[in-house]
Structure formats: C-alpha cells, structure tokens
Amino acid sequence: MKVAFAGTPEFAAIALEAILAAGFEVPLVLTQPDRPAGRGMQLQPSPVKQVAVAAGIPVHQPEKLRTAEQQAPLAEAGVDVLVVAAYGIILPQAVLDLPRLGCLNIHGSLLPRWRGAAPIHRAIQAGDTETGITIMQMDAGLDTGPMLLKRAEPINADDTTGGLHDRLAWLGAEMIVEALEALPGGLAATPQPADGVTYAAKIGKAEAIVDWTRPAVELERMVRAFNPFPGAIATHGETPVKLWRARAIDASGTPGEVLLAEGAGVIVACGEGSLCITELQKPGAKRLSAADFLRGMPIAVGSRFA
C-alpha cells in the first residue's frame, strides 16, 4: 500500500517515522514551507521535512492546496491513502478525493471533544482528567469525520502540554500503523455523536497574560496548558515574567499581591486562593527555580504582579 503523509511539527514527525519503520511505501510527504526560526531567524525545515529528507522521500511544500498545480504532486503519486497529522493546511474536497482509500487524520483528543487546532492545550486548561487519540476518516468539516480508532490517555495532575503532547504523539504513531495495517475494510467507521462537541481554538498570545482575579486552580491549569508554548506571562514592576511551574494553594489576599517570596516558591494571591510559583523566567534568561530566580531578581512581600 502506498501512503502519502501530510504533517509539520514533531507530533507528526513521530507518526511518519513509525509508518516508515512499519515498512509502508511513502512516495511523497507534504509539509508547510520552511519558516524563520531561532535567534538568527534563518529558514528552518519542519520536523516532518527533516524525517522525509533523511529517508530520501520527495517533499512538497505548498502554501495552500487549492489549485490543480498545488495538488499535482499528490495526484501524480497515485497513493492509496493520505495520512494527515497536524499539517496546518486545510484540505479541500478535491484533495480528500484523490487517494483511493481517502485521508486518515491523527487527532489529539477523544472526538467529538476538542475538535480544532489546540486540543492538548484546551484539555489541560479545562481540567479534563483524560484525553486521547482519535484516528478518523477525514471529510470536509473541521474534525467531523467518522472515527476508526479511539484510545484514551489519562491527564495527570502535574501534566504540562509538553509532556502530554509527547505521550499522545507516540500513541498516535502506534495507532496509525494499526489503522493502516487494517486497511482496506478492516476497521468499522463510527459517526461522531452529536452530543459532547467542543472546539479547541488556536492559542493566542493575548491569552497568555495572567489575570490574577481568576481562581488559583484555573491559573494553575493555565500555566500547565501553556507550557511550553506560549508560556503564562505576568508583569512585576516593569519586568515581564513567564511562569512555568505553579500550584494552587489555600491562602488569600488582594489579587496580584505577593504573600511570600522564598526558595520554596513565590506565592501570589488570586481571586480565589493563591498561586505558589516554583519555576519562573525573565526576558533573555533561562527558566529558573524560585530560589535561583529570587537571587537574581528579588521580589518583596507586599509588592504586586500585574
């Protein structure tokens, strides 16, 4: 069976590596164009492109897939199925119709919950106790296609998006190989239920600004959900500070007020309860434990975070 692959970040690269390791023929990989990255803002290939190039697979990097010219390499590849994972480009119906067995998507949630761009972030932010991977047959809707495989993964109390992402990436890689080995006709397609639909909107940088009037339990989830991107941001004096590790505790004060600042953590009052911050970062510096951070940037009790 000939399998084309469309994806961009590390989540997708792990799946591509698994498909290759399972022995499937992959004549074409689609990924987004190289983007500027790093301090020098040099063009960098996506993780998926790096895997494809190392394996000697032709790579197609259109900005969109709207025109016949943009779609031509996939049409000419004559593949049986297209696997899609975090590609970041909408597939029009003409592309969905090209592979003989259609297009399979690796989605990082238990559909129909958290359709959309940021399912891992949103599951942690909402306080969900589990998420998972759904392998679905793609249609023209936003993650609305029938489900072929579905497997749950618990969300631990200290999970960050980074850690949960890695577990789901490996789970998705295992499941897509299982799905491909069962094709054609070996998997029952189950329509998604109408109940329980939620949408995982793309994370905006404006969301990363901490609102201290919110309950501490919500802010704790926010810090975990936005680790490693985009990072929860608060301002102390004139200095923006990223918060990387924190836990909600039972203490009270005026929202934003520093109640304690010592090696064990910086405690800041919230709308309900307080947040004990244990890992912080100021601009141009590394992430530091509270103890190391306070040596370089003392924070006075009674001062305020905005």
Side-chain angles (χ1 to χ4, degrees):
M1 187 162 61
K2 295 169 71 175
V3 181
F5 187 89
T8 300
E10 186 67 23
F11 182 91
I14 291 170
L16 176 57
E17 288 178 326
I19 291 168
L20 293 171
F24 289 100
E25 179 185 355
V26 181
L28 179 69
V29 164
L30 291 85
T31 191
Q32 290 201 29
D34 296 359
R35 306 293 188 196
R39 294 195 174 184
M41 295 302 286
Q42 299 294 313
L43 287 177
Q44 300 291 329
S46 73
V48 163
K49 181 178 179 179
Q50 294 176 45
V51 172
V53 169
I57 302 170
V59 178
H60 181 41
Q61 297 179 267
E63 288 282 356
K64 302 289 182 183
L65 280 169
R66 293 174 179 166
T67 68
E69 181 181 3
Q70 292 168 333
Q71 298 166 11
L74 181 60
E76 293 163 4
V79 297
D80 297 295
V81 63
L82 173 64
V83 172
V84 182
Y87 182 28
I89 292 177
I90 294 173
L91 303 188
Q93 190 63 50
V95 171
L96 297 176
D97 292 340
L98 282 174
R100 180 175 64 90
L101 299 174
C103 302
L104 304 187
N105 179 245
I106 308 170
H107 187 75
S109 80
L110 298 175
L111 291 171
R113 186 162 177 80
W114 302 127
R115 294 173 178 171
I120 302 175
H121 296 79
R122 299 304 183 190
I124 291 176
Q125 190 178 15
D128 292 2
T129 57
E130 71 172 6
T131 183
I133 291 288
T134 305
I135 306 294
M136 72 171 182
Q137 190 88 43
M138 295 180 70
D139 61 16
L142 177 64
D143 300 326
T144 55
M147 303 176 293
L148 303 177
L149 288 174
K150 196 172 180 179
R151 205 158 291 160
E153 174 70 21
I155 300 177
N156 302 319
D158 60 349
D159 266 335
T160 65
T161 287
L164 183 56
H165 164 279
D166 292 350
R167 298 206 308 274
L168 290 176
W170 288 106
L171 179 60
E174 175 185 303
M175 290 171 64
I176 193 61
V177 168
E178 182 181 337
L180 290 172
E181 289 175 343
L183 290 178
L187 293 171
T190 303
Q192 293 188 35
D195 294 335
V197 175
T198 58
Y199 290 94
K202 185 177 179 180
I203 303 295
K205 287 190 176 181
E207 288 185 76
I209 298 172
V210 174
D211 177 0
W212 295 104
T213 65
R214 290 169 55 190
V217 290
E218 290 185 14
L219 295 183
E220 176 190 332
R221 295 199 303 260
M222 173 189 173
V223 170
R224 293 192 291 114
F226 291 178
N227 181 352
F229 175 83
I233 302 174
T235 302
H236 188 270
E238 300 295 322
T239 305
V241 178
K242 284 196 173 183
L243 316 181
W244 293 114
R245 298 276 179 184
R247 66 181 186 276
I249 64 171
D250 186 14
S252 60
T254 304
E257 178 187 3
V258 177
L259 304 180
L260 189 66
E262 59 183 24
V266 178
I267 298 177
V268 183
C270 305
E272 295 176 18
S274 294
L275 201 64
C276 179
I277 309 159
T278 56
E279 186 176 339
L280 310 89
Q281 181 183 22
K282 60 183 179 181
K286 297 179 181 179
R287 299 186 187 191
L288 296 172
S289 66
D292 290 337
F293 184 89
L294 291 171
R295 289 188 189 100
M297 182 179 162
I299 295 176
V301 172
S303 63
R304 297 183 61 82
F305 275 91

